[in-house]
């Protein structure tokens, strides 16, 4: 994401889709997008990905090398797709924190966890850029198709690093940049249909116009890998999925990392 920074005050403007806005305005407008689509979010995900987002999330969970009894933070977890996959692996001795800043999305996710009887999933409404958790709380941190919606991605990555235990693993699953020119052009043509689908499914094309633009503005594979290294992660790896339409970034926190108290400033 392109940002114009003030030396002392951080980003002066950030991108809301293709539109430059203040950080506070982006946070509010992204919240509005997800309040609008919350009750039909999963249906639209199926339309936009032709159902493939479910398979991509299963691939991501399989790559976590998660063990029973471990503690996992599911950031921007929304309606709980990832938490539902992780919960049986963590088991009764483990814990999954389903975290989202948006109350509407989190309420749907919480209801689904209760309906499924997943007692080890705990909801938490929190900002990914200022997490209310102590350092070294989690064995794994995952964020699936949520990083591009954050106002300050670098700060969020630093927070993920802070709350991970040493030797813990982070996983970022996100839309990315297709490698081939043909696939890029074909995918963009397909994305052009999303606002029309949004009008039909939720009665408003604007949220899905934003989603298309947010994918276009999101850092590509190399840029996001560099951002993760800058946040402190080691052994950063990227795996393209569907030719780079999506990408799975993983990294580890060094097992000798020095812990710092408090939340990010």
């Amino acid at each position: 994401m392109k940002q114009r920074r003030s030396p002392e005050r951080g980003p002066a403007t950030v991108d809301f889709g293709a539109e430059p806005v203040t950080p506070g305005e982006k946070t509010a407008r992204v919240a509005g997008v997800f309040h609008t689509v919350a009750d039909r979010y999963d249906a639209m995900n199926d339309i936009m990905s032709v159902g493939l987002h479910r398979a991509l999330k299963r691939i991501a969970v399989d790559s976590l090398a998660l063990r029973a009894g471990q503690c996992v933070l599911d950031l921007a977890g929304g309606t709980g797709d990832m938490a539902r996959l992780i919960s049986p692996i963590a088991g009764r001795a483990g814990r999954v924190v389903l975290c989202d800043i948006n109350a509407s999305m989190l309420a749907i996710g919480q209801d689904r966890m209760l309906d499924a009887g997943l007692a080890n999933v705990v909801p938490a409404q929190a900002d990914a850029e200022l997490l209310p958790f102590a350092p070294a709380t989690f064995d794994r941190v995952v964020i699936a198709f949520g990083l591009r919606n954050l106002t300050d991605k670098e700060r969020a990555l630093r927070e993920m690093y802070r709350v991970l235990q040493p030797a813990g693993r982070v996983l970022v699953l996100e839309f990315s940049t297709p490698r081939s020119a043909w696939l890029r052009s074909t995918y963009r043509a397909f994305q052009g249909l999303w606002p029309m689908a949004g009008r039909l499914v939720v009665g408003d094309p604007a949220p899905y116009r934003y989603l298309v633009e947010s994918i276009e503005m999101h850092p590509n594979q190399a840029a996001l890998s560099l951002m993760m290294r800058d946040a402190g992660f080691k052994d950063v790896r990227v795996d393209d999925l569907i030719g780079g339409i999506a990408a799975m970034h993983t990294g580890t926190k060094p097992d000798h990392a020095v812990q710092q108290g408090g939340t990010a400033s």
Side-chain angles (χ1 to χ4, degrees):
M1 179 177 67
K2 298 176 182 177
Q3 297 180 342
R4 180 168 58 85
R5 290 186 178 273
S6 165
E8 297 181 355
R9 298 183 181 180
T13 62
V14 294
D15 295 317
F16 177 78
E19 179 184 356
V21 297
T22 66
E25 185 179 0
K26 175 171 180 174
T27 300
R29 290 175 69 173
V30 169
V33 166
F34 286 96
H35 280 304
T36 299
V37 304
D39 60 343
R40 300 186 185 181
Y41 178 75
D42 291 323
M44 280 304 302
N45 273 350
D46 285 330
I47 291 172
M48 292 189 302
S49 70
V50 200
L52 288 174
H53 74 101
R54 300 182 187 277
L56 299 182
K57 289 170 182 173
R58 285 194 293 271
I59 291 169
V61 170
D62 288 344
S63 76
L64 281 173
L66 186 65
R67 299 189 300 274
Q70 290 188 316
C71 188
V72 182
L73 175 61
D74 178 19
L75 270 180
T79 56
D81 279 358
M82 292 291 282
R84 193 159 52 245
L85 294 171
I86 293 167
S87 171
I89 305 172
R92 296 178 64 179
R95 184 163 60 106
V96 183
V97 177
L98 174 60
C99 182
D100 203 289
I101 196 173
N102 189 286
S104 300
M105 296 285 287
L106 189 61
I108 293 172
Q110 184 177 6
D111 286 346
R112 290 181 177 176
M113 299 306 105
L114 291 172
D115 290 345
L118 301 178
N120 65 346
V121 179
V122 180
Q125 185 175 358
D127 185 347
E129 298 168 26
L130 192 63
L131 293 170
F133 309 114
T137 298
F138 299 96
D139 299 289
R140 302 286 187 272
V141 174
V142 301
I143 181 167
F145 301 112
L147 185 66
R148 73 184 187 282
N149 297 311
L150 302 184
T151 302
D152 190 336
K153 297 176 179 66
E154 291 92 344
R155 184 173 182 175
L157 288 167
R158 291 195 300 270
E159 279 289 81
M160 296 178 210
Y161 182 91
R162 183 184 65 81
V163 302
L164 263 180
Q165 292 190 14
R169 181 178 298 184
V170 67
L171 184 146
V172 180
L173 176 64
E174 189 53 90
F175 291 110
S176 198
T177 304
R179 297 293 186 177
S180 78
W182 175 86
L183 186 56
R184 282 196 299 273
S185 62
T186 301
Y187 187 56
R188 283 173 183 160
F190 175 57
Q191 287 176 314
L193 302 175
W194 293 2
M196 181 174 62
R199 183 187 295 278
L200 293 173
V201 176
V202 302
D204 185 0
Y208 296 94
R209 189 174 301 115
Y210 158 73
L211 291 177
V212 172
E213 293 174 352
S214 71
I215 293 169
E216 189 70 24
M217 300 302 292
H218 185 67
N220 64 18
Q221 291 92 324
L224 182 52
S225 295
L226 180 59
M227 289 165 62
M228 291 175 66
R229 293 188 184 98
D230 286 345
F233 293 107
K234 305 300 181 185
D235 303 321
V236 174
R237 170 176 172 163
V238 57
D239 292 289
D240 285 339
L241 305 171
I242 325 176
I245 287 176
M248 184 171 65
H249 287 73
T250 55
T252 58
K253 182 173 182 174
D255 58 10
H256 58 273
V258 176
Q259 298 302 322
Q260 296 180 352
T263 56
S265 59

